[in-house]
Amino acid sequence: MQVVQSTTPNIEQNQFRRNLALLLILGGGGLVLLILPAALSLNDGLFFWSPLILGLACVGGAAWFGREIWLYRLTYSGQEKLCQTLTQYLGPDYIYFRNLTLPGTRSVGAIDGVLLGSHGALVLQIEPAGGEFDCEGDTWYRYPANPSGANLEKKRHRMSDSPTWLAIRAGREVKAWLSVRELPLVPVRPVVVLSRGKMRSLKRPSCPVIELNSIQTFIQSNLLQNSPQFNTEQISGGAVEQIAQRLQS
């Protein structure tokens, strides 16, 4: 399998660099402000409390940016694992785009992955969060890491972002991008991949949801064999190359 990594920094990568810079600035500045009263031998008064309060605020801001960096790293780690698995089981006729920003449009930002092959285009949305999930249609619920009590239904909380809806939106953008540029109209299918999480229940999702440790079975059942879900006319290698070249432009 050919892997194409975006060389142009996307919005998420720029945000990561910004968050890292702010983490270092706020964290370092906060620590200096916290030790300043002790360094100046101050015990009370305005010059004692003002740097202390400001230092705590800076440390709190640094913690928030640290959380954003941690989430970005989780997504990156999931992409690495998925790419390794795809490379292991797919041949050279497949082309995988990582962190793809569609040329000429930035409405959805960077797409986690787009797999081109005889099946068409598989648009992959990676969900990096751990834990257990319920999916009811396109409404997602997440359970706490260590649930307690008999009624677990009361312990779950609704997720603000729906991974299936994000995948569908990205898939629509890819389909529209192909149509506007008069490229071959190949089947475009969105798929959600859980890089760390587990599904407790899955009820009528709008697109397939796969755990990373099950991606091998999904590949063998849907891409390497004729399955009802992916039972369409095989896409020619020339059409795949034509789309790939435009995506790299």
Side-chain angles (χ1 to χ4, degrees), residues 95-144:
I95 305 174
Y96 183 60
F97 288 84
R98 289 184 55 181
N99 293 322
L100 174 65
T101 299
L102 295 173
T105 178
R106 296 186 178 182
S107 56
V108 295
I111 299 173
D112 291 337
V114 175
L115 178 64
L116 295 178
S118 58
H119 60 278
L122 211 61
V123 179
L124 302 173
Q125 173 71 32
I126 300 175
E127 173 53 53
E132 297 183 329
F133 300 89
D134 286 341
C135 176
E136 300 172 2
D138 290 323
T139 302
W140 283 63
Y141 301 90
R142 186 182 179 192
Y143 291 88

Side-chain angles (χ1 to χ4, degrees), residues 62-239:
W64 187 88
F65 286 112
R67 176 181 177 275
E68 293 297 307
I69 291 172
W70 178 69
L71 292 176
Y72 176 86
R73 295 302 300 176
L74 285 179
T75 302
Y76 183 83
S77 175
Q79 290 175 334
E80 282 288 316
K81 293 177 182 178
L82 176 59
C83 186
Q84 291 173 3
T85 304
L86 293 176
T87 302
Q88 182 178 358
Y89 294 105
L90 295 178
D93 294 336
Y94 293 87
I95 305 174
Y96 183 60
F97 288 84
R98 289 184 55 181
N99 293 322
L100 174 65
T101 299
L102 295 173
T105 178
R106 296 186 178 182
S107 56
V108 295
I111 299 173
D112 291 337
V114 175
L115 178 64
L116 295 178
S118 58
H119 60 278
L122 211 61
V123 179
L124 302 173
Q125 173 71 32
I126 300 175
E127 173 53 53
E132 297 183 329
F133 300 89
D134 286 341
C135 176
E136 300 172 2
D138 290 323
T139 302
W140 283 63
Y141 301 90
R142 186 182 179 192
Y143 291 88
N146 297 304
S148 60
N151 192 355
L152 295 181
E153 293 295 325
K154 294 182 179 180
K155 300 295 182 181
R156 70 179 190 177
H157 68 272
R158 181 172 178 174
M159 296 173 60
S160 57
D161 290 329
S162 167
T164 48
W165 173 242
L166 293 175
I168 291 168
R169 184 182 174 210
R172 289 175 178 173
E173 288 291 330
V174 171
K175 190 173 184 179
W177 185 86
L178 294 172
S179 176
V180 169
R181 284 153 184 81
E182 298 182 353
L183 289 166
L185 295 179
V186 301
V188 177
R189 300 181 177 88
V191 175
V192 175
V193 178
L194 300 179
S195 62
R196 299 170 61 238
K198 303 288 184 181
M199 293 303 305
R200 288 178 59 91
S201 66
L202 195 60
K203 300 177 181 178
R204 301 180 302 278
S206 297
C207 68
V209 179
I210 314 161
E211 296 176 8
L212 184 58
N213 58 11
S214 301
I215 195 71
Q216 175 186 355
T217 302
F218 177 82
I219 291 172
Q220 293 175 339
S221 300
N222 295 282
L223 302 186
L224 304 182
Q225 299 179 12
N226 293 325
S227 70
Q229 187 176 10
F230 289 77
N231 187 18
T232 58
E233 183 179 352
Q234 296 289 297
I235 310 303
S236 68

